[in-house]
Amino acid sequence: MRVLIVGATAAISQASALALLQKEPTARFYLIGRSPEKLAGLQAQLQALRPDAVAGIQSLDLKELGAIPSSLLQAQRALGGPLDLCLIGHGTLIPQATLAQSPEALRQIFTENFISQAVILNNLLPLMRRGGAVGVVSSVAALAARPRSAGYSATKAALSRYIQGLRGSYDAEGVRLIDIRPGWVDTPMTAGSPSKFLSVAPSWAGRDIADALIRRWPRVLYTPWFWRYLMLPLRLIPAVGYERAR
Ligand SMILES: NC(=O)c1ccc[n+]([C@@H]2O[C@H](COP(=O)([O-])OP(=O)(O)OC[C@H]3O[C@@H](n4cnc5c(N)ncnc54)[C@H](OP(=O)(O)O)[C@@H]3O)[C@@H](O)[C@H]2O)c1
């Protein structure tokens, strides 16, 4: 099974890769991410489970949008054929106070949370096997924003809507496109957050993501599962209460 992970150094991506290898012993990975040290660390963990589990790693800052198409091709070549599974897992959380003052920070968060994922999705489909699956890590924040999370939520809303829009083209080629919406997960991204409502370990999200990719279901994954129901009122009622929250 040929598996590409872009944004592989994210804690949630790492947990997903390890869970995938445990569930699918034939999985072989190509890892694209920014930090060479974290890439090497994940490679070593996967190789400890199966010595030939990693076909290659590539360090890439995904803000370099022009480099993305050739990176994806390189991954497919290293894996030796059409991809069975792909996970796109990188992202950034920049405080709203910074975004409010810095157009450059706004440009960065949109590039790292939406535009780079869109460029990947625009180039990925011809590299996938019919019957394969692609998961993209968005967030429950795609569904609602508060003053403190306006910019971050906007990027995730754009990402989830883009995934929804591309689903028809992916379906037509037999490739399942999965919108992954984690709630709070304990990772470096949330280490400084003041509240971590019902937060879980990355291994929980990793197991859910691995299962969804293997089963090609559901099309929208909430992880942990209870976030589907926690977010329901926000999807159904007007935004009166939470817009006042800080
Ligand atoms: N943790 C949560 O509660 C939570 C909830 C909902 C959604 N999410 C989403 O889950 C995803 C993974 O985040 P995480 O929680 O696992 O946190 P994380 O461990 O901090 O992962 C974020 C990753 O994104 C990578 N990244 C950011 N900008 C990049 C760039 N320009 N080029 C390449 N890689 C880049 C970082 O690379 P480096 O390793 O090089 O820094 C880091 O590995 C994100 O999309 C996040 O928005 C997280």
Side-chain angles (χ1 to χ4, degrees):
M1 176 179 279
R2 302 181 185 99
V3 184
L4 169 61
I5 306 199
V6 186
T9 59
I12 293 175
S13 299
Q14 296 195 43
S16 305
L18 291 166
L20 261 171
L21 186 52
Q22 274 150 8
K23 288 167 191 289
E24 281 288 344
T26 64
R28 195 140 186 271
F29 295 84
Y30 192 91
L31 310 171
I32 299 176
R34 183 169 52 187
S35 156
E37 295 77 25
K38 288 190 203 170
L39 278 175
L42 177 58
Q43 179 179 26
Q45 285 188 73
L46 292 166
Q47 286 175 335
L49 291 173
R50 216 194 59 232
D52 67 343
V54 180
I57 61 175
Q58 188 188 147
S59 174
L60 177 67
D61 185 331
L62 291 157
K63 291 198 296 305
E64 289 176 32
L65 303 174
I68 288 175
S70 57
S71 287
L72 298 177
L73 270 174
Q74 199 176 319
Q76 198 209 38
R77 250 181 254 128
L79 283 165
L83 309 174
D84 295 287
L85 301 179
C86 176
L87 175 64
I88 303 169
H90 60 289
T92 304
L93 179 62
I94 300 177
Q96 181 61 27
T98 309
L99 298 176
Q101 286 170 8
S102 163
E104 203 36 60
L106 263 179
R107 191 197 306 275
Q108 181 187 340
I109 197 170
F110 266 89
T111 304
E112 292 183 327
N113 283 2
F114 170 56
I115 300 174
S116 54
Q117 287 81 354
V119 172
I120 294 164
L121 289 172
N122 293 344
N123 287 278
L124 189 61
L125 189 51
L127 308 182
M128 296 295 305
R129 174 178 72 76
R130 206 175 173 81
V134 177
V136 189
V137 180
S138 178
S139 170
V140 294
L143 294 170
R146 290 175 300 160
R148 197 172 51 210
S149 64
Y152 177 78
S153 289
T155 63
K156 293 298 189 178
L159 178 57
S160 283
R161 192 48 62 91
Y162 199 76
I163 293 166
Q164 184 185 41
L166 289 193
R167 200 169 271 131
S169 321
Y170 271 69
D171 274 348
E173 298 301 323
V175 178
R176 179 59 47 82
L177 190 47
I178 300 175
D179 180 344
I180 299 165
R181 299 179 181 171
W184 283 105
V185 184
D186 263 320
T187 67
M189 179 178 282
T190 54
S193 300
S195 82
K196 289 192 218 168
F197 182 59
L198 295 175
S199 80
V200 298
S203 54
W204 185 325
R207 275 193 306 273
D208 285 352
I209 291 168
D211 281 341
L213 285 170
I214 292 165
R215 292 186 197 143
R216 307 176 75 234
W217 181 89
R219 287 168 181 261
V220 179
L221 171 72
Y222 288 87
T223 174
W225 60 270
F226 47 77
W227 281 96
R228 175 179 292 277
Y229 303 99
L230 289 175
M231 296 311 287
L232 202 57
L234 290 187
R235 285 150 62 195
L236 296 180
I237 60 171
V240 187
Y242 63 85
E243 281 184 358
R244 293 203 191 106
R246 298 257 142 205

